[in-house]
Structures are given as C-alpha cells and as structure tokens.
Amino acid sequence: MELILLAIFIILLWVAIDYRLGRFYHIKRVSKPEFPLRKSNLTLFTKGQELYDDLYKKISEANHHIHILFYIVKNDYVSQRFLDLLMKKAQEGVEVRLLLDRIGSKNITKKQKKDLKENGVLFSFCHIPKLPFLFYSINERNHRKITVIDGKIGYLGGFNIGKEYIGLDPKLGEWRDYHLRIEGEGVQDLQKQFIYDWDDATNDVIPTNSSYYPSPLAGKLLHKIVPTNAVYLEQIFIDLIKQAKSEITIGTPYFIPSPALFQEVLNASKRGVHVNIIVPLKADHPLVREAAFPYFKPLLQAGCKVYRYYAGFFHAKIIVVDEEVCDIGTANFDKRSLYLNHEINCFIYDTEFVKDVKQKLLHDIEFSEEVTLEFLDNRSFLQRGKEAFSTLVSGLL
C-alpha cells in the first residue's frame, strides 16, 4: 500500500511540475498576434447541414488552393465525405492543405492519412504531444477551425466535421452552433493564421505571394480577427465585459471561467448590466456540466440569468454586448480556452449584424429552462459531490 501511495504521489508531483514548467516556457516564447480592423461581408450559420452544404459548395468551386484547419475530424461517413471531397480537389490540381489537431482528430486512421497523401492532399497533424513537458503538451490543443479558399473566402466558428454536428448523434440531438463565412478583407488574416500554424507544424514555408493573398475587396461589416495562443484571452474577455453598459449575453457549452473573469461578470451585473448566460442542458464530455454549477448560485444572487438549452446540444461560443459588438469564434468561456487552447475569434462591430445575432440568441433562450435558486438548493448529495470533484480538475476539462 505504501508503494502504491508513493507511486501516486510521484505521478501527481510529476504532473504538477510538468504542467507548470510547460506553461511557464510557453508564456516566455509566445507573442501576442494582432490583426487590424477589417471590413468584410459576413454570413452566419447556426445549423451544421447548412454550413456543410455551403462549405462543400465553395470547396468544390476552388481553383487554386484550399487551406483547412480543424480541431476535430471524426472517423465516420460524414467525415469521409469531407475527406473524399478534398482528395477530389487535389486530383484536379488544386493545392489542398489539411491540418488537424493530433488529439482532437485522434480517430483519423493510418489508411485515411495514406489515402489523403496518395491523392495529393498535403496533410499534417499539429500539436503533437512531446517531451520534455509531455503532460502539458497533451493538453495544449489547437482548437481553431479555419478554412480559406483561394484567399478570397474564409470560415471560422464552432463546428467541426462529423455526424453529431449535423444532428445525427441521438444522445446529443440537434447541434446548435455559430459559424461565420467571411468574404473581404478579413480573409487575409485567416490566411496568415493558417500559414503560421501550418509552418509551425510542418516547417514547410508557404510563400507569401499574391496567389495566397489576392487583393481583397472591402465588405460592409467592420470586424477584427482575434487569435490567441493560450495567453491573453482572459484579458480580452475582461475588457469586452467591462465595456458593457446595458446587456451582456454569453453563450458557451462550458462555463468554467477564471476567478478574475468570473468576478468581472459579477461586477457587470452589480453595476446594472443585464447578464444572460446560455449553457447546454446536455453534456458532451464528462464533468463539464458539473463544473459549471458552482458558478450558478453566485450568478443568480448577483442578478444574472442562467439558461440551460434543451433543444439539442448547445455548442455556441458567443458573447453579445449592448447590440454594439459580438464575439463569435472557437473559444469557450472556460479555463481550457483561457490557458491551454489555441483559439481564433471574430469581433464584429456592426449594429444590424449584432441585433440579428441577438435575436438568434433570444430564440435559443426560448428553448431553454431558467436555472433557479430553488433548483440549486435541491441538488442531491451525489450531484454536489460530482461538482466538488469537477472543480478540482476544472482547468483540464
């Protein structure tokens, strides 16, 4: 027994040291990427099949290059259709680069990788776990979802590739997410971020010529692409919440904010801002639902409203402030996105677009149950135990 306890202690000590040193060295070498304000035309998708239909159509029309980064591409027939389309375009002579997170897309098989490469697709995994900080590197994921087609059309948002994202997982039901198509000046910033990630993963330098950066036409909507590399996102979210004057709506599948970020949400409510938070009723990962519960009572006591979406699975990553700005992207309102994941978001500064997004969120609230203090007070001992344990590991959920 003593040997077992000693072994457990050594493993936990190694994990703690590995994580702290890994993050320390990551922070030392990372820089803050900055893109300017741009003008583009933006199209919003909230249903997976509509996004896929549009994305696949644009991919089919590509004539020079297709650059795609996803966190997750599943190993199912829906994903295979996606991979088949990329191979078809590569066979037509279009440059196709596909970059997938090594852990998120762990179910991609050797045969699929072989088929992609034999059919001309330039394929690579990114964020491959490695020494000396193995535990940290396992958790430091590239959570971005970027598509760039011919340097003229871009996509980013919450959807990945697989059958659940079009509502074909009976346990999760209809998948609710927010994803953007971008046409205009902002595409060049998506391109720069993809090329940075590709170079980082492969050491294959993509030339920065006009073939990849055609002269963009300005669109109608003012926006800014905001990438983060497991640093800076906490302050970006805090600054966004601080500017709220009347209303904030936060949509996230995982509400596990840092203490500083959570305090800023409470501060907003205390100064008279109406705060609405939408989370899913269902859970797609163990303990993430339980990890959110300890935040709910302080939120309600501060005057915030918390809703649990029940018409499927709510996976949107979105913040709307005062009908003036909204954030749509890949970052969740949780510690993993703040401190571990590499994310990319789009801040949109157009009143009409923001109003439209707000209406969609109001529709989501109509299909949500409101969390009450009475409900929280009546939780079982077992439920509270799960929540206590989930709090201990919340930074890794």
Side-chain angles (χ1 to χ4, degrees), residues 6 16 18 74 82 84 124 132 135 146-147 152 170 195-196 225 261 293 316-317 321 349 354 356:
L6 178 62
D18 181 293
K74 295 282 190 176
F82 167 74
D84 288 344
S124 179
F135 181 77
I146 297 172
T147 297
K152 298 176 182 179
I195 288 176
Y196 173 87
I225 302 297
L261 181 55
F293 268 82
K317 302 94 164 53
V321 176
Y349 307 92
V354 174
D356 181 60

Side-chain angles (χ1 to χ4, degrees), residues 292-304:
F293 268 82
Y295 298 96
F296 290 169
K297 193 165 188 176
L299 286 168
L300 298 187
Q301 290 173 333
C304 305

Side-chain angles (χ1 to χ4, degrees), residues 130-322:
K130 59 186 177 182
L131 296 170
F133 308 115
L134 181 62
F135 181 77
Y136 180 80
S137 66
I138 287 172
N139 283 281
E140 184 196 6
R141 309 305 340 135
N142 192 328
H143 195 241
R144 297 179 180 124
K145 296 94 179 169
I146 297 172
T147 297
V148 178
I149 300 169
D150 291 339
K152 298 176 182 179
I153 301 171
Y155 294 82
L156 75 83
F159 282 103
N160 290 290
I161 301 293
K163 67 180 183 180
E164 63 259 52
Y165 306 108
I166 55 174
L168 298 181
D169 184 331
K171 292 182 180 179
L172 295 174
E174 190 67 32
W175 191 277
R176 184 68 166 177
D177 223 323
Y178 285 61
H179 211 102
L180 294 171
R181 185 181 76 217
I182 301 175
E183 297 172 274
E185 295 175 341
V187 178
Q188 63 191 299
D189 299 329
L190 291 181
Q191 185 80 291
K192 287 175 185 175
Q193 188 58 57
F194 175 87
I195 288 176
Y196 173 87
D197 286 337
W198 179 264
D199 291 350
D200 183 61
T202 66
N203 292 318
D204 175 24
V205 179
I206 301 173
T208 56
N209 58 45
S210 59
S211 298
Y212 300 100
Y213 294 97
S215 298
L217 296 175
K220 297 178 180 179
L221 307 183
L222 188 67
H223 66 96
K224 184 178 183 179
I225 302 297
V226 183
T228 51
N229 300 321
V231 189
Y232 308 115
L233 180 62
E234 180 182 44
Q235 191 59 50
I236 289 169
F237 278 172
I238 286 173
D239 291 343
L240 181 61
I241 290 168
K242 278 184 175 180
Q243 74 182 60
K245 301 178 184 67
S246 60
E247 186 176 34
I248 301 170
T249 301
I250 299 168
T252 179
Y254 320 119
F255 189 87
I256 315 172
S258 66
L261 181 55
F262 184 56
Q263 186 59 53
E264 204 56 54
V265 174
L266 297 178
N267 291 345
S269 184
K270 290 173 183 177
R271 69 173 184 265
V273 176
H274 297 288
V275 178
N276 303 307
I277 295 166
I278 311 170
V279 296
L281 179 65
K282 299 178 180 181
D284 65 333
H285 294 295
L287 297 179
V288 292
R289 179 174 52 190
E290 287 77 12
F293 268 82
Y295 298 96
F296 290 169
K297 193 165 188 176
L299 286 168
L300 298 187
Q301 290 173 333
C304 305
K305 301 279 190 179
V306 178
Y307 301 94
R308 298 203 296 169
Y309 182 84
Y310 56 74
F313 182 68
F314 188 82
H315 193 251
K317 302 94 164 53
I318 186 164
I319 304 173
V320 176
V321 176
D322 292 343

Side-chain angles (χ1 to χ4, degrees), residues 349-377:
Y349 307 92
D350 181 88
T351 301
E352 292 306 313
F353 187 92
V354 174
K355 284 182 178 178
D356 181 60
V357 171
K358 181 180 175 181
Q359 288 302 311
K360 287 179 169 56
L361 286 171
L362 289 174
H363 175 79
D364 293 339
I365 288 175
E366 290 178 3
F367 291 91
S368 305
E369 63 176 33
E370 184 173 352
V371 177
T372 65
L373 287 171
E374 181 183 9
F375 167 75
L376 295 177
D377 290 339

